[in-house]
Amino acid sequence: PRVELAWAMKAHQHAQVYFNLISSVDPKFLNLTKVDDLIYQEFRETFRELRVDLLDPEELKSEPAK
């Protein structure tokens, strides 16, 4: 139990640092991996019309969205 607690505390510390880092940068300039641009390009090719600024959970669950 102590090892698990120590691991959880360390993971929480890392998560806080990571969150603070990604929260302090304008998302336009944030790259988390070397292939972010490729991932985004393929996402846009697959989901051309999807507006990520206005996601509606009910719309995503609809038959046409599936």
Side-chain angles (χ1 to χ4, degrees):
R2 285 185 169 200
V3 172
E4 290 176 0
L5 179 59
W7 180 88
M9 290 173 59
K10 195 69 170 172
H12 182 261
Q13 289 173 342
H14 281 283
Q16 282 183 316
V17 169
Y18 190 74
F19 179 77
N20 289 338
L21 285 171
I22 64 173
S23 297
S24 65
V25 177
D26 185 342
K28 288 187 280 188
F29 306 110
L30 183 63
N31 284 326
L32 301 176
T33 70
K34 295 177 182 178
V35 293
D36 284 356
D37 293 332
L38 177 62
I39 293 169
Y40 183 73
Q41 178 184 357
E42 291 193 21
F43 172 82
R44 276 291 154 212
E45 287 175 8
T46 304
F47 302 102
R48 294 181 196 278
E49 303 299 320
L50 182 64
R51 292 193 55 198
V52 294
D53 59 334
L54 294 172
L55 290 179
D56 178 14
E58 294 307 313
E59 186 178 318
L60 293 174
K61 295 176 187 176
S62 70
E63 273 308 311
K66 291 179 182 179

